[in-house]
Amino acid sequence: MALIVQKYGGTSVGSTDRIKNVAQRVAKWKRAGHDVVVVVSAMSGETNRLIELANAIQTQPDPRELDVVCSTGEQVTIGLLAMALIDIGVPTKSYVGSQIRVLTDDAHTKARILEIDKERILDDLNSGKVIVVAGFQGVDASNNITTLGRGGSDTSGVAIAAALGAEECQIYTDVDGVYTTDPRVVPNARRLTSVTFEEMLEMASLGSKVLQIRSVEFAGKYRVRLRVLSSLTDPNISIEEESQSGTLITFEDDGTMEAALVSGIAFNRDEAKVTVLGVPDTPGVAFKILDPIAKANIEVDVIVQNISTDGKTDFSFTVHRNDLERTLTVLKPVQAVIGARDLVSDDKICKLGLVGVGMRSHGGVASKMFAALSEEGVNIQMISTSEIKITVVIDEKYMELAVRSLHQVFGLEQSQ
Ligand code: ADP
Ligand code: ASP
Ligand code: MG
């Protein structure tokens, strides 16, 4: 008997039949004697639909009001799932984020969770109920509704598991675990039975959508045991089988890990590149460029600046595509102040990276990667590395070609 948190994503609750299936699965765990808290996303496509509605009213929707609109998707799902559970005899109560007080900062559309009031959940659990909580949302100190960024229900799930000290947080989704790369792009990608927390963090930072990066950060900080598994299996499979399935995110010092040279490839098309051309090569310039961007709450990712031979250099970085217009607006006056020659951008790029803890102790991965890309005629626009990751920015039209070729060169496919 343990307390577990189960998070179900959009596809997993994408129809009333799927919601009834989720109810069967939850009921199975509850009837086996576990305390269960369920966190759900909006039904698939619903958040996109809500964003489109907002865009049809305002070109740049007011962030506070956008959160009011977008948070409603999850509210529908919690009510429906609670009904499905009650209908099969499982006492259940649903709550939106503000009711259990998922307290966040006030950064609308990308708020961070600060604290979760667990008392209400614990009271309900003690009275034998299943609790269903709306993911992706919270409330700030002034009672404004906030949302946590796309894919944010993963973070709600892990944060609630951390607050409750749950035995495991199970992320149920439409794939049966974490793969060497997105199986939609490489059909013979291999499922990993375990992946280290650090590798998962790097894969998420590269945009592998299977887990939102903040959920992985939370899991690391509070040592939440995290498992990614399928919601599309028969909901009545045995608990023993289900609790061994999917991919477990492990902490390296568990001591059992075989350090793979390259564990996975992740990529995303959500970023855009900004280049400030002809920047004077003097102390403080990087700060003058990036500080106003940080103050506008825009996250900067890959940053590249080279040495100069004539006192001028070019400074490039990537931001989320949704933030590109704002970034350029913020930078326009800065360009004049620092005396840069021009400001250009490109939103047809893709970020792609290889991840593996084995890179720490083995060299040669970068040269093998660059050789494979050059053989395919793919030009590399930016490169950045960490101890266990090599990232490149390339033209988005080469994304699938590059991923497939690297997947093969590093031998990541399933053995037949
Ligand atoms: P949910 O709605 O359950 O949150 P998401 O669509 O956010 O699901 O995430 C699951 C999707 O992540 C999968 O359908 C898959 O296409 C994608 N994905 C990307 N990279 C990977 C990977 N390395 N392993 C598994 N799935 C991945
Ligand atoms: N419904 C939100 C989204 O589509 C949150 C989530 O699914 O995790 O981004
Ligand atoms: Mg998701």
Side-chain angles (χ1 to χ4, degrees):
M1 153 117 185
L3 196 172
I4 54 163
V5 173
Q6 300 190 329
K7 178 260 168 177
Y8 291 89
T11 316
S12 311
V13 293
S15 65
T16 46
D17 280 343
R18 291 240 164 109
I19 290 176
K20 287 181 186 171
N21 256 327
V22 169
Q24 293 291 344
R25 198 178 295 276
V26 172
K28 173 184 75 186
W29 283 83
K30 176 70 186 157
R31 287 177 183 142
H34 300 292
D35 283 331
V36 190
V37 177
V38 187
V39 175
V40 287
S41 295
M43 295 168 79
S44 58
E46 180 61 8
T47 308
N48 288 346
R49 188 185 74 86
L50 295 168
I51 292 173
E52 273 165 30
L53 288 177
N55 286 333
I57 300 276
Q58 247 193 324
T59 347
Q60 295 265 342
D62 179 87
R64 180 188 184 278
E65 303 313 325
L66 184 59
D67 277 352
V68 170
V69 173
C70 283
S71 60
T72 60
E74 274 70 10
Q75 182 166 351
V76 172
T77 325
I78 55 167
L80 294 176
L81 178 58
M83 288 175 203
L85 280 157
I86 292 166
D87 198 51
I88 55 172
V90 180
T92 303
K93 253 185 162 177
S94 70
Y95 292 108
V96 293
S98 56
Q99 285 175 299
I100 48 164
R101 225 170 152 72
V102 175
L103 181 70
T104 71
D105 63 18
D106 60 3
H108 284 291
T109 77
K110 45 178 143 177
R112 280 178 188 272
I113 297 178
L114 303 174
E115 207 176 84
I116 292 177
D117 182 5
K118 58 180 189 212
E119 296 315 317
R120 192 160 193 172
I121 305 181
L122 289 175
D123 282 352
D124 283 338
L125 287 176
N126 288 338
S127 68
K129 293 192 179 64
V130 164
I131 314 303
V132 182
V133 180
F136 176 57
Q137 56 185 265
V139 63
D140 73 9
S142 315
N143 275 332
N144 298 299
I145 293 172
T146 53
T147 65
L148 311 179
R150 299 306 306 267
S153 298
D154 295 333
T155 304
S156 309
V158 179
I160 289 173
L164 296 172
E167 177 121 323
E168 187 165 288
C169 179
Q170 301 168 333
I171 306 283
Y172 285 91
T173 184
D174 56 5
V175 273
D176 63 351
V178 178
Y179 277 70
T180 46
T181 195
D182 189 341
R184 285 179 212 245
V185 171
V186 181
N188 70 346
R190 178 166 44 87
R191 180 171 63 83
L192 302 163
T193 47
S194 67
V195 62
T196 70
F197 153 73
E198 280 178 294
E199 288 170 323
M200 198 60 240
L201 195 62
E202 296 284 24
M203 280 174 78
S205 81
L206 282 162
S208 163
K209 194 169 143 210
V210 64
L211 284 176
Q212 198 203 33
I213 183 162
R214 286 182 186 169
S215 71
V216 188
E217 286 168 357
F218 248 102
K221 190 162 171 196
Y222 298 101
R223 290 266 161 159
V224 177
R225 192 180 152 90
L226 195 59
R227 182 180 294 279
V228 176
L229 65 176
S230 173
S231 70
L232 305 178
T233 55
D234 173 0
N236 295 314
I237 59 169
S238 75
I239 290 209
E240 290 68 37
E241 184 182 342
E242 192 161 24
S243 42
Q244 296 299 316
S245 68
T247 303
L248 182 68
I249 318 300
T250 57
F251 296 94
E252 240 185 309
D253 49 22
D254 289 356
T256 52
M257 291 304 304
E258 180 199 332
L261 187 55
V262 174
S263 301
I265 304 176
F267 51 86
N268 83 67
R269 261 187 275 233
D270 295 340
E271 292 190 23
K273 184 176 71 169
V274 177
T275 304
V276 196
L277 290 160
V279 177
D281 190 17
T282 50
V285 164
F287 169 72
K288 283 184 192 143
I289 294 173
L290 296 179
D291 185 52
I293 297 174
K295 291 209 168 104
N297 206 1
I298 297 169
E299 279 172 33
V300 169
D301 190 17
V302 183
I303 304 174
V304 168
Q305 188 210 299
N306 215 329
I307 52 157
S308 63
T309 46
D310 59 354
K312 299 264 184 189
T313 181
D314 298 336
F315 189 94
S316 295
F317 57 91
T318 62
V319 293
H320 195 285
R321 275 187 202 178
N322 293 345
D323 288 329
L324 179 59
E325 284 309 313
R326 264 190 333 123
T327 307
L328 295 175
T329 310
V330 167
L331 275 188
K332 206 71 205 146
V334 177
Q335 181 199 339
V337 172
I338 61 175
R341 182 161 50 81
D342 205 356
L343 179 62
V344 293
S345 65
D346 181 358
D347 66 356
K348 300 274 179 293
I349 57 149
C350 150
K351 185 176 68 163
L352 178 159
L354 296 186
V355 176
V357 285
M359 280 186 216
R360 268 202 195 112
S361 45
H362 290 81
V365 176
S367 62
K368 194 167 169 182
M369 176 183 190
F370 301 157
L373 292 175
S374 91
E375 248 162 58
E376 298 291 352
V378 178
N379 187 39
I380 302 171
Q381 302 179 16
M382 296 166 99
I383 302 172
S384 101
T385 61
S386 79
E387 252 195 319
I388 64 163
K389 175 175 76 171
I390 303 170
T391 310
V392 294
V393 171
I394 59 174
D395 187 323
E396 71 168 8
K397 71 175 182 248
Y398 296 122
M399 186 191 85
E400 300 200 349
L401 173 71
V403 173
R404 290 194 184 123
S405 123
L406 291 170
H407 197 266
Q408 202 236 323
V409 164
F410 284 95
L412 296 176
E413 60 275 268
Q414 287 173 24
S415 46
Q416 298 299 330

